[in-house]
Amino acid sequence: GQQVMQIPQYQHVQEGEDFTTYCNSSTTLSNIQWYKQRPGGHPVFLIQLVKSGEVKKQKRLTFQFGEAKKNSSLHITATQTTDVGTYFCAGPYGNKLVFGAGTILRVKS
Amino acid sequence: EAQVTQNPRYLITVTGKKLTVTCSQNMNHEYMSWYRQDPGLGLRQIYYSMNVEVTDKGDVPEGYKVSRKEKRNFPLILESPSPNQTSLYFCASSLTVSAETQYFGPGTRLLVL
């Protein structure tokens, strides 16, 4: 079936270091979405990428969608303690939405 | 305030005792879905609904039922809960389809003994 692979599963960084999570789909996607879930919270939408090769920025967060529209990445520059949480990518497959397993980010101050 | 609500937020039950988790959204969204979240497995879609009276299976539908009699409500029913259904459950909605921004409810933590 459809799969969205996300790595790494877990990353622990020192505050100020950069962080990247990667997402790969088994098939071409019409778009990819990214969500953030704070500890004890629910997933909250961050961004949607639609175009091949698209790059979008939100302050210290940079999102990329691959040329083949099968992979994506989220890069955080100079992490802060407020970045702590789990980051998920998600891709639509027909009428379903399939999420990656998520990357848990911990930031040590 | 635009939101998705779920009840109850926490539930402890015993094997075999039927339960329902309610989900309601006030945004007039057509697409609604249920997910379960388990460590290391991310969010897995249980069921989704494209509109009133239109429901379909997600990736992990076994042991669950849903109904969509009204646009705003999408209850999740566990007819005979088992311990492997212990999980964190999220309801979500979007305007029309799965490819759009999903708005999540606060979650329901279920423990089946």
Side-chain angles (χ1 to χ4, degrees):
Chain A
Q2 305 91 353
Q3 279 195 321
V4 177
M5 305 300 292
Q6 191 174 353
I7 58 168
Q9 184 176 356
Y10 182 84
Q11 187 145 14
H12 195 172
V13 301
Q14 188 73 37
E15 188 173 20
E17 291 181 341
D18 292 357
F19 159 79
T20 305
T21 174
Y22 301 90
C23 199
N24 281 288
S25 167
S26 55
T27 58
T28 301
L29 296 169
S30 60
N31 71 65
I32 195 156
Q33 302 167 32
W34 284 92
Y35 292 79
K36 176 183 178 181
Q37 182 181 24
R38 295 182 187 276
H42 59 276
V44 174
F45 175 79
L46 291 177
I47 208 161
Q48 181 181 80
L49 304 172
V50 179
K51 299 177 185 174
S52 168
E54 189 170 14
V55 178
K56 286 189 176 180
K57 292 192 175 185
Q58 290 180 350
K59 297 182 180 177
R60 294 177 294 103
L61 277 61
T62 302
F63 303 84
Q64 294 190 5
F65 200 13
E67 294 290 340
K69 301 183 74 172
K70 293 177 73 173
N71 62 292
S72 181
S73 65
L74 158 59
H75 179 83
I76 302 179
T77 304
T79 55
Q80 299 175 357
T81 54
T82 53
D83 295 325
V84 162
T86 303
Y87 293 84
F88 294 99
C89 60
Y93 294 85
N95 294 321
K96 297 181 188 178
L97 187 64
V98 178
F99 281 77
T103 296
I104 300 171
L105 172 63
R106 292 289 176 258
V107 179
K108 189 165 51 177
S109 59
Chain B
E1 180 191 351
Q3 60 182 352
V4 179
T5 57
Q6 293 179 230
N7 282 292
R9 296 289 313 279
Y10 304 91
L11 181 60
I12 301 174
T13 189
V14 296
T15 299
K17 186 176 181 183
K18 181 179 178 180
L19 67 92
T20 299
V21 184
T22 64
C23 172
S24 184
Q25 51 90 6
N26 62 1
M27 296 170 278
N28 202 35
H29 284 174
E30 293 183 354
Y31 187 90
M32 296 186 74
S33 56
W34 277 101
Y35 297 87
R36 60 176 291 173
Q37 183 175 17
D38 303 289
L41 297 177
L43 293 154
R44 294 180 293 168
Q45 196 172 41
I46 302 170
Y47 269 93
Y48 64 91
S49 169
M50 299 291 290
N51 214 323
V52 176
E53 302 291 2
V54 181
T55 63
D56 209 345
K57 296 177 181 179
D59 289 326
V60 288
E62 295 77 20
Y64 305 95
K65 283 175 58 176
V66 293
S67 68
R68 187 94 181 269
K69 293 186 172 61
E70 306 163 283
K71 199 170 188 178
R72 63 184 292 127
N73 297 323
F74 191 45
L76 179 69
I77 303 153
L78 285 71
E79 294 268 2
S80 183
S82 62
N84 64 12
Q85 292 178 297
T86 291
S87 188
L88 177 58
Y89 291 87
F90 288 102
C91 179
S93 72
S94 65
L95 192 58
T96 55
V97 295
S98 63
E100 296 179 337
T101 304
Q102 302 293 310
Y103 295 86
F104 282 83
T108 295
R109 191 167 289 279
L110 173 65
L111 172 62
V112 183
L113 300 172

